[in-house]
Amino acid sequence: MPGSRRSQRQRAVAELRAQGRYGPELRDVLPAFVGLAFAVAGPVALLVWLHHALGIGGLVLGVALLAAATVVGLRWRRAAVRRRGGIYTPAELAVLDEHGLVAAAERMLGRDGWHVIAMPDEGRPRLYARDRGGRQLDVGFRPADEAVDEDVPTGPAPLREAGRPGVDNLIRVVVSRGSYSRADVLWASRQGGVHLVDGRQLQQWAAGESLDGLGLPG
């Protein structure tokens, strides 16, 4: 009989787990409990040590340090959540490397309602995106310090690689933290469907403005 009861309970638990109605096991929640214990015990141990070592002054110092650490931690967490939501400050944009800028643009597109796919092309970072209205973006990137050849008639790299040959119905966007030369602007205007985003517009986009608000073709 005990064996039968045990097997019945095991079957009942298995059914509840299959339905997603059985709560987590100890092994699932133990790491979280251990982390919580350390998070509570660590500051308490620090305060006790400071009190024994320095008296009331040490206790006051410990409380002040913990308060300052809490404020810094909350600010860091809010900034991280903001960046994950596709909002960046000019200072944060300035320290991004090429891969960081691509990741930021992907988040900003997602923030604006675009479905984004990263598809590097021959070593160059590239994003493809589609919105609910069916518009498609082909987003390329040019480093701010990339040299510009004013004599190149087909447009400075990577502007001439902004869209793959034979791909139609794409709005081509090129993003740079720097500025574009007159040759860049003239080349883009001759192509049709090429939208240049310079450093100033990039900051506006990162601050919450949409690409449509920056003049993206409809």
Side-chain angles (χ1 to χ4, degrees):
M1 183 65 67
S4 177
R5 289 177 180 175
R6 186 180 300 110
S7 63
Q8 289 177 1
R9 183 179 181 277
Q10 290 174 346
R11 285 197 299 269
V13 170
E15 291 177 0
L16 289 174
R17 285 177 178 167
Q19 297 171 9
R21 296 164 54 193
Y22 192 79
E25 296 183 350
L26 178 61
R27 63 185 178 186
D28 299 321
V29 299
L30 184 59
F33 278 121
V34 172
L36 179 61
F38 275 110
V40 174
V44 171
L46 175 63
L47 291 177
V48 171
W49 180 80
L50 287 173
H51 182 259
H52 282 300
L54 303 175
I56 296 298
L59 186 61
V60 173
L61 175 62
V63 171
L65 289 174
L66 289 176
T70 300
V71 171
V72 171
L74 289 175
R75 288 180 178 176
W76 180 87
R77 184 176 183 279
R78 283 197 294 265
V81 170
R82 172 175 50 76
R83 289 191 295 269
R84 284 198 297 270
I87 301 294
Y88 291 77
T89 66
E92 289 169 342
L93 285 177
V95 299
L96 294 177
D97 59 12
E98 183 180 52
H99 296 291
L101 179 59
V102 175
E106 185 172 357
R107 290 173 176 174
M108 288 148 60
L109 285 166
R111 177 203 72 199
D112 292 344
W114 296 84
H115 176 68
V116 188
I117 300 175
M119 296 182 64
D121 182 20
E122 297 182 356
R124 285 190 179 273
R126 184 183 300 277
L127 299 174
Y128 285 86
R130 179 190 295 269
D131 69 358
R132 295 179 181 177
R135 290 185 301 172
Q136 299 178 60
L137 293 185
D138 171 5
V139 185
F141 299 84
R142 188 180 71 178
D145 58 352
E146 184 171 72
V148 174
D149 185 353
E150 297 284 351
D151 296 327
V152 176
T154 56
L159 297 186
R160 59 177 176 268
E161 292 93 8
R164 291 177 176 174
V167 178
D168 298 325
N169 301 320
L170 283 175
I171 302 173
R172 297 169 175 88
V173 178
V174 183
V175 178
S176 174
R177 278 180 293 196
S179 59
Y180 291 103
S181 68
R182 183 171 177 272
D184 295 333
V185 176
L186 289 175
W187 179 85
S189 66
R190 295 190 188 106
Q191 306 310 304
V194 176
H195 184 69
L196 304 182
V197 176
D198 61 17
R200 179 183 59 82
Q201 292 174 313
L202 177 60
Q203 290 183 9
Q204 292 176 311
W205 186 22
E209 180 66 85
S210 67
L211 279 179
D212 291 316
L214 297 177
L216 183 72

